[in-house]
């Protein structure tokens, strides 16, 4: 089992405050030949008054390296891999990258990050570290 991101519990608490139920911690993607990958969290919530559920998988990234671009490269690679595998094995889940609000502003409002959002390569949400709340959803 992989190590948890430093903001794992922060994001988990923020999702719960936002009305999500944590269903997997972590969400395991079972591959052929006994291999596994682990997305940090799986969550669900009811959609409006209907009994339908919305399911999300969340990969948490703290961006702690000296280079935000190196962190971005790694996060995008992992996101794309997990996104494609989820579509194959768990199509009911939509994958999100969870980043601190400061990272959303510093990385995803710049050209490289904006390109990923505009070209619909990634979906993300940002969170407030201290308040443990979700700030912005970007689908």
């Amino acid at each position: 089992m992989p190590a948890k991101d430093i903001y794992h519990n922060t994001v988990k608490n923020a999702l719960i405050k936002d009305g999500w139920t944590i269903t997997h911690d972590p969400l395991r993607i079972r591959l052929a030949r006994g291999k596994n990958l682990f997305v940090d969290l799986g969550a669900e919530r009811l959609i409006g008054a209907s009994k339908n559920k919305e399911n999300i998988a969340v990969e948490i990234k703290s961006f702690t390296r000296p280079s935000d671009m190196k962190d971005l490269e790694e996060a995008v690679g992992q996101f794309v891999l997990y996104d494609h595998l989820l579509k194959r094995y768990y199509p009911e889940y939509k994958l999100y990258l969870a980043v601190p609000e400061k990272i959303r502003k510093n990385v995803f409002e710049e050209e490289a990050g904006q390109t990923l959002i505009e070209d619909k390569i990634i979906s993300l949400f940002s969170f407030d570290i201290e308040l443990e709340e979700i700030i912005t959803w970007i689908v």
Side-chain angles (χ1 to χ4, degrees):
M1 188 113 27
K4 293 182 178 180
D5 187 271
I6 60 173
Y7 296 124
H8 185 90
N9 289 330
T10 303
V11 171
K12 189 175 177 178
N13 292 336
L15 285 166
I16 292 167
K17 280 184 180 180
D18 200 48
W20 294 90
T21 300
I22 304 302
T23 57
H24 299 83
D25 185 4
L27 173 61
R28 180 183 359 202
I29 303 173
R30 296 172 196 255
L31 304 175
R33 300 185 188 171
K35 299 206 184 263
N36 295 295
L37 292 172
F38 297 91
V39 181
D40 292 320
L41 295 168
E44 69 180 17
R45 71 176 171 187
L46 292 175
I47 301 172
S50 73
K51 297 197 182 219
N52 294 328
K53 293 180 184 174
E54 182 178 7
N55 295 292
I56 61 171
V58 179
E59 185 59 26
I60 305 161
K61 291 297 177 202
S62 55
F63 282 68
T64 56
R65 289 186 184 149
S67 169
D68 286 344
M69 286 300 104
K70 273 297 193 200
D71 280 336
L72 181 62
E73 290 171 357
E74 182 179 305
V76 171
Q78 194 172 9
F79 186 95
V80 169
L81 175 63
Y82 289 177
D83 192 43
H84 283 272
L85 290 170
L86 284 168
K87 285 177 182 167
R88 177 173 290 187
Y89 294 109
Y90 303 100
E92 68 275 18
Y93 283 89
K94 175 154 179 57
L95 181 62
Y96 286 89
L97 183 67
V99 297
E101 176 65 6
K102 177 182 172 187
I103 298 304
R104 185 194 64 78
K105 289 180 178 177
N106 292 343
V107 175
F108 293 94
E109 288 185 359
E110 298 296 328
E111 183 179 6
Q114 274 297 302
T115 299
L116 295 168
I117 292 167
E118 290 169 5
D119 291 355
K120 303 205 181 297
I121 305 298
I122 63 167
S123 296
L124 67 92
F125 67 83
S126 64
F127 57 92
D128 183 291
I129 297 166
E130 283 81 33
L131 297 176
E132 295 187 336
E133 293 178 349
I134 295 173
I135 305 297
T136 305
W137 288 91
I138 302 174
V139 183

